[in-house]
């Protein structure tokens, strides 16, 4: 019988790619999503169960219906700026919602949990390569909410034996090379989709947020990871748990950083079109440089982030952009 995995946020950007990878690996991905930021037409690889993480009865129903071997938990609000203006939204949905989900999983005897965390839990440690042992000092409510969920998972392991793999993402980019699913946020805040919109004339020029950082070209440096590599790591994490290897935290990045100007240069080369941009002020909350110490996932999980180069990430995002899904 096909093994089911509950995928919260399966109608969103990363969750929909995870469903495709799970399906390819022989699992049945069951999307649990309230469609607050996701899209029903992104649920293509398994059943859809509409529901809210705060609704324990609905969660219990879905666990009973599918008897899943694991949960992959992507559903969350994830905008740093918004989290500073409306912390309750982040604590209620991200933390209380996750707590409700974790309790429901344990009550149903589903003891394998894969959690989508973030490099934002490390906070502002500029110019340091961040590995899994780095201190976690989040500077925004989003990062704090994700760190709190990490703590809950640890406590539930101590109390009930819940096994978790926690992935701390760096900058996720790109899309399905077959363009069946892709990145689509409303509002969009991420660099690459905004840049492609500017290239295609769908938005005004891209604004570079700050050109006076202490980096070689004055713009911020980030570690970009291809969404397909990222979700492959999740499938490896699921197998790790099914093999009984126990709880573990992994960073997901490549260890290589690129500046905003370097991303612009690559976009010009990939699309063969000009990138209209203007230079603006710094965006509050942005760190100078966020680069992952990424060896653990490569060594222990056998992860190979082969597609995480800017040419492929921008190329695949551009392919999706040209399908017109952005016109929705
Ligand atoms: N940037 C611009 N102009 C834009 C948008 C972004 O110059 O219009 C710059 C940002 O200043 C940053 C880089 O492009 O230097 C990447 O910005 P994104 O908004 O694409 O991504 P962030 O690094 O801000 O965010 C990511 C994740 C968050 C996570 C955060 C941790 O998307 O979920 O890293 O800092 F919380």
């Amino acid at each position: 019988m096909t093994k089911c995995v509950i995928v919260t946020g399966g109608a969103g950007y990363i969750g929909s790619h995870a469903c495709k990878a799970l399906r390819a690996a022989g699992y049945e991905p069951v999307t649990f999503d309230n469609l607050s930021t996701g899209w029903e037409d992104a649920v293509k690889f398994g059943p859809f169960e509409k529901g809210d993480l705060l609704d324990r009865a609905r969660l219990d129903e879905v666990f009973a219906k599918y008897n899943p071997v694991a949960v992959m938990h992507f559903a969350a609000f994830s905008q740093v700026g918004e989290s500073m203006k409306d912390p309750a939204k982040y604590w209620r949905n991200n933390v209380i919602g996750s707590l409700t989900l974790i309790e429901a999983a344990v009550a149903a005897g589903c003891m394998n949990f894969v959690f989508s965390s973030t490099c934002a839990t490390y906070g502002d440690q500029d110019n340091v390569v961040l590995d899994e042992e780095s201190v976690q000092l989040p500077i925004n409510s989003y990062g704090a909410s994700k760190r709190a969920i990490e703590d809950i998972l640890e406590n539930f392991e101590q109390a009930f034996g819940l096994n978790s793999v926690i992935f701390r993402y760096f900058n996720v980019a790109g899309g399905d090379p077959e363009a069946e699913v892709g990145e689509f946020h409303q509002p969009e805040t991420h660099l690459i989709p905004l840049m492609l919109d500017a290239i295609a004339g769908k938005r005004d020029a891209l604004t570079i947020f700050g050109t006076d950082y202490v980096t070689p070209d004055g713009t911020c440096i980030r570690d970009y990871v291809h969404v397909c590599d990222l979700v492959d790591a999740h499938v490896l994490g699921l197998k790790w748990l099914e093999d009984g290897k126990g709880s573990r935290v992994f960073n997901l990045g490549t260890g290589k950083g690129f500046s905003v100007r370097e991303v612009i240069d690559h976009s010009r080369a990939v699309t063969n079109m000009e990138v209209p941009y203007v230079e603006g002020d710094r965006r509050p909350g942005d760190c100078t440089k966020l680069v992952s110490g990424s060896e653990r996932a490569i060594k222990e999980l056998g992860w190979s982030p082969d597609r995480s180069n800017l040419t492929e990430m921008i190329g695949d995002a551009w392919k999706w952009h040209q399908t017109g899904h952005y016109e929705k």
Side-chain angles (χ1 to χ4, degrees), residues 78-80 118-121 140 142-143 169-172 189-194 206-210 213 219-222 224 260 283 285-288 290:
S78 63
Q79 286 180 38
V80 170
T118 169
C119 64
T121 61
N140 49 61
Y142 169 62
Y169 305 165
F170 283 70
N171 284 61
V172 189
T189 61
H190 293 103
L191 177 63
I192 291 173
L194 286 176
L206 177 84
T207 302
I208 299 182
F209 293 144
Y213 286 96
T219 64
C220 290
I221 292 175
R222 293 288 181 273
Y224 294 88
V260 176
R283 181 172 66 177
D286 275 350
C287 304
T288 302
L290 286 168

Side-chain angles (χ1 to χ4, degrees), residues 49-76:
E49 295 287 348
K50 191 168 179 192
D52 195 289
L53 291 176
L54 293 164
D55 184 347
R56 174 66 192 271
R58 180 75 183 116
L59 282 167
D60 287 345
E61 209 173 84
V62 172
F63 275 99
K65 180 169 172 190
Y66 294 97
N67 191 24
V69 292
V71 175
M72 274 192 194
H73 179 32
F74 298 96

Side-chain angles (χ1 to χ4, degrees), residues 112 163 238-247:
N112 294 326
N163 297 302
L238 170 58
K239 290 186 174 148
W240 168 284
L241 289 173
E242 286 193 292
D243 288 345
K245 293 186 178 169
S247 297

